[in-house]
Amino acid sequence: MIRFENVSKAYKGAEGDALHDISLEILKGEFVFLVGASGSGKTTFLKLLLREEVADGGSVYVAGRDIGQLSHWRVPQLRRNLGCIFQDFRLLPSRTVAENVAFALEVIGRPRSVIKEQVGQVLELVGLGQKHHRMPDELSGGEQQRVAIARAFVNRPLVLLADEPTGNLDPATSQGIMKLLDRINRTGTTVVMATHDVGIVDAMRRRVIELDHGKLIRDQARGVYGYDNSSTSRGIPAVSVASVLDEDLGPATGRVAAVRARRGIR
Amino acid sequence: MALSLEYFAKETASNLWRNRVMGLAAVLTVAVSLSLVGTSLLLRQAVNRQVSQFGANTSLAIFVNPSATTQQQADIRSTISQTPQITHCTFLNHEQSYEQAKRVLASAPAAVSVLTPATTPTVFGGQLSNPADATTLMATFQGVPGVYMATSPVQSIHVLEQVTNVLQVVLIVIALLLLVSSLVLILNAIRMAIFARRREVSVMKLVGATNWFIRVPFMLEGLVQGLLGSAVAVFVVLLANLGVGYLVHRYHVSVLSSTVLPAHDVLMTELIVVLVGAVVGVAGSTVAVRRFLDV
């Protein structure tokens, strides 16, 4: 579904690469956490997928297409296949819940009957079936993020990109959002989620891709936020990762069997 | 597609309303500017019509000196008949000339009162095949013995044309400056509309709306502003023509009746006004969209 081949990206005036020689593949239906400190390249990773940025070197493939080669006018088509949610929800404050969701379909020219049906369905899915006519500022943060998810998912995208979707939410609410993302993932939608939330990553036990200063330093199936959380209660990852890296990680192998075996993970 | 049209109409209307103060400034500037363009076009057409009306019977009036001998009068007559540029000649005797003088000088009764039929010079009126010959012929006949004066309206037409040219250049320059400022005002109005809509725009980009879909409401907004301005100008131009008609009628200056333009010419002028308004609106919004809406 998504493939990075030796992708590098540097911003003008910035020191070092935002992403450096990243190669990986994400299959259809996978749920992937993208972790790493601020400035590690997570957001750049997502921007490349959305083609808000273009890689300086290497190629990014989405659904078999090299999106760096897409002509300008094809970009909207790409974005229709990618749903996107953010830490700050990005809802339109002057529109109701239903209008916010419908907007995503209106502006890509879907007929009214389709819009009505799909908006109803997706709001039911995210658990806001009773709140069609509420304004965003009347909703809690968790509910607002559900609206944002409904908007991102209403067009049934192939991939859902989430940039710290729980960053503004309390743990209980975050858990609800994660259940929802998990349910969406079970419909076959690939989910890529950038996050800092240790608890969530650890609880979900999904594939974890870790970036550090633009480099891919870990790609682990059923991973946790940091390697060492078994010894400390919930260790700060960056330090422990570095120590484990040397013994375990070949950069290209990706999923680290040795680590998994040691932990007794399947 | 039907939904898109409805969407564009709704978005454009709400953009216009949100942005009404800036929009009003843009619309009024377009209106003033296009009113100037329109009236200067009317002026040009009116003068052309008046000139060609004069030109159609461009004449040479040769006033005979009252003291001229009969022989001299006969010589003048034969000179006229030997001049090929003069196609047709009429002669007004003292009585007829006095009557004409009374008509022409109706607005100056004092001048008429000093005239009697006997003291009014007789006049040869010559039709010219080509108005351009008037100046040469005037000089020629001025030298013929017994001629008191040879005149032609060509001179005053020339002055009229010159004045009109200057006036029109001035009007067009002012109109152009105003058009440039209305373009900038529309550009700025659209820029503010884009700024006010930046959330919507970013969501639209994110969910894959096409560039044109994002741009169209803003371009329509500029078009509507340009057209609203030209609507005002259309009204002004119409009033200007009706006003001239009223004045000509009111003061019985039927000589100037051809400055009142027929419906067809007014319509053409109005079309130009509307077209320029539309172009200014679209141009302003296109620049704004290209510069400030990076899709």
Side-chain angles (χ1 to χ4, degrees):
Chain A
M1 182 56 58
I2 295 171
R3 197 165 81 234
F4 277 55
E5 283 181 1
N6 309 103
V7 173
S8 292
K9 172 74 189 174
Y11 292 106
K12 255 181 221 161
E15 206 176 309
D17 287 354
L19 284 181
H20 182 76
D21 195 24
I22 303 286
S23 295
L24 55 83
E25 180 158 17
I26 297 171
L27 301 175
K28 179 166 165 41
E30 271 196 284
F31 195 119
V32 179
F33 285 114
L34 200 56
V35 302
S38 296
S40 59
K42 302 192 298 292
T43 302
T44 301
F45 187 98
L46 295 179
K47 281 187 171 174
L48 286 174
L49 285 173
L50 280 169
R51 207 178 182 269
E52 283 182 12
E53 301 288 348
V54 179
D56 301 328
S59 311
V60 178
Y61 294 87
V62 173
R65 265 233 164 84
D66 181 351
I67 62 172
Q69 304 295 320
L70 278 186
S71 62
H72 195 63
W73 59 274
R74 287 232 162 133
V75 173
Q77 203 54 52
L78 165 74
R79 292 187 185 158
R80 287 176 196 193
N81 286 321
L82 303 170
C84 210
I85 59 174
F86 302 93
Q87 185 172 6
D88 55 358
F89 320 137
R90 303 203 186 167
L91 300 176
L92 303 175
S94 59
R95 293 171 195 256
T96 65
V97 166
E99 283 168 354
N100 260 287
V101 178
F103 187 70
L105 293 176
E106 262 178 48
V107 300
I108 58 173
R110 289 283 184 275
R112 198 199 306 264
S113 53
V114 172
I115 293 178
K116 206 175 168 214
E117 190 191 322
Q118 297 203 347
V119 169
Q121 278 177 10
V122 80
L123 282 177
E124 207 61 51
L125 174 79
V126 302
L128 293 173
Q130 306 302 314
K131 305 211 167 173
H132 282 230
H133 302 296
R134 304 292 283 276
M135 301 305 282
D137 59 5
E138 299 168 357
L139 302 177
S140 70
E143 287 171 325
Q144 289 188 42
Q145 191 62 290
R146 283 168 189 271
V147 178
I149 292 171
R151 181 178 66 191
F153 189 61
V154 70
N155 196 32
R156 309 291 147 149
L158 300 169
V159 181
L160 187 68
L161 304 175
D163 194 357
E164 301 192 31
T166 59
N168 275 343
L169 305 174
D170 62 71
T173 313
S174 298
Q175 209 168 21
I177 295 295
M178 291 316 297
K179 275 190 183 148
L180 180 55
L181 290 180
D182 186 46
R183 187 167 349 146
I184 284 175
N185 177 235
R186 283 172 204 276
T187 66
T189 308
T190 310
V191 177
V192 178
M193 171 169 161
T195 187
H196 281 137
D197 197 321
V198 178
I200 285 174
V201 179
D202 290 356
M204 298 276 291
R205 293 283 160 144
R206 298 302 183 99
R207 180 173 170 191
V208 173
I209 292 171
E210 181 167 356
L211 297 173
D212 182 41
H213 291 94
K215 293 192 182 70
L216 177 67
I217 58 168
R218 174 162 63 115
D219 184 349
Q220 182 181 23
R222 300 182 180 278
V224 292
Y225 196 97
Y227 282 94
D228 256 351
N229 71 332
S230 50
S231 55
T232 64
S233 60
R234 205 166 258 174
I236 303 302
V239 184
S240 47
V241 165
S243 60
V244 182
L245 253 180
D246 297 333
E247 42 179 298
D248 288 323
L249 263 186
T253 56
R255 320 209 172 152
V256 188
V259 176
R260 279 186 269 147
R262 193 178 63 194
R263 291 226 171 108
I265 304 163
R266 273 178 296 153
Chain B
M1 197 58 208
L3 180 65
S4 297
L5 290 181
E6 190 188 318
Y7 169 85
F8 290 146
K10 222 169 58 188
E11 285 298 293
T12 308
S14 93
N15 278 353
L16 281 166
W17 180 247
R18 278 190 191 200
N19 222 352
R20 56 195 176 276
V21 179
M22 270 305 293
L24 188 69
V27 167
L28 286 182
T29 319
V30 175
V32 172
S33 158
L34 286 180
S35 299
L36 285 180
V37 171
T39 45
S40 100
L41 285 175
L42 280 192
L43 177 74
R44 166 52 49 187
Q45 291 175 85
V47 169
N48 283 350
R49 277 168 59 87
Q50 194 66 40
V51 166
S52 67
Q53 191 209 28
F54 283 146
N57 46 25
T58 300
S59 53
L60 189 66
I62 301 158
F63 294 91
V64 180
N65 203 326
S67 61
T69 62
T70 322
Q71 181 54 46
Q72 280 174 331
Q73 285 195 37
D75 284 349
I76 294 171
R77 191 185 288 272
S78 67
T79 315
I80 290 173
S81 60
Q82 282 158 25
T83 308
Q85 294 97 319
I86 298 177
T87 52
H88 179 71
C89 180
T90 54
F91 178 72
L92 300 180
N93 62 24
H94 288 290
E95 287 297 332
Q96 291 162 325
S97 182
Y98 178 65
E99 288 306 313
Q100 195 195 38
K102 276 207 292 193
R103 255 189 296 124
V104 172
L105 298 175
S107 55
V112 179
S113 67
V114 303
L115 285 176
T116 62
T119 56
T120 313
T122 54
V123 185
F124 289 103
Q127 283 294 316
L128 301 185
S129 52
N130 182 359
D133 297 328
T135 321
T136 345
L137 290 178
M138 266 159 53
T140 316
F141 280 97
Q142 204 69 64
V144 173
V147 170
Y148 172 62
M149 189 171 68
T151 65
S152 167
V154 163
Q155 274 178 314
S156 31
I157 289 176
H158 191 60
V159 171
L160 179 67
E161 278 188 309
Q162 295 253 295
V163 170
T164 315
N165 282 344
V166 171
L167 193 61
Q168 196 178 30
V169 167
V170 170
L171 284 179
I172 292 287
V173 166
I174 296 175
L176 279 181
L177 288 176
L178 284 172
L179 274 181
V180 171
S181 48
S182 37
L183 198 123
V184 173
L185 281 171
I186 288 180
L187 193 154
N188 202 35
I190 304 304
R191 190 175 74 157
M192 289 177 74
I194 292 172
F195 187 71
R197 294 256 157 184
R198 62 196 182 286
R199 283 166 179 274
E200 271 94 341
V201 168
S202 73
V203 171
M204 285 162 101
K205 284 188 214 166
L206 210 59
V207 301
T210 59
N211 295 346
W212 277 110
F213 197 94
I214 299 175
R215 284 174 173 173
V216 160
F218 296 109
M219 303 197 51
L220 277 181
E221 184 183 347
L223 177 66
V224 169
Q225 284 173 347
L227 286 180
L228 283 178
S230 28
V232 176
V234 159
F235 194 63
V236 169
V237 167
L238 212 61
L239 274 186
N241 195 47
L242 288 177
V244 171
Y246 171 76
L247 290 178
V248 167
H249 181 73
R250 172 81 174 68
Y251 295 102
H252 305 292
V253 274
S254 52
V255 197
L256 294 176
S257 60
S258 52
T259 55
V260 184
L261 297 174
H264 170 259
D265 290 358
V266 177
L267 192 69
M268 286 308 291
T269 309
E270 304 285 35
L271 276 181
I272 292 174
V273 165
V274 171
L275 208 68
V276 174
V279 167
V280 168
V282 170
S285 50
T286 304
V287 175
V289 161
R290 288 199 174 272
R291 282 200 51 190
F292 304 111
L293 196 66
D294 46 340
V295 286

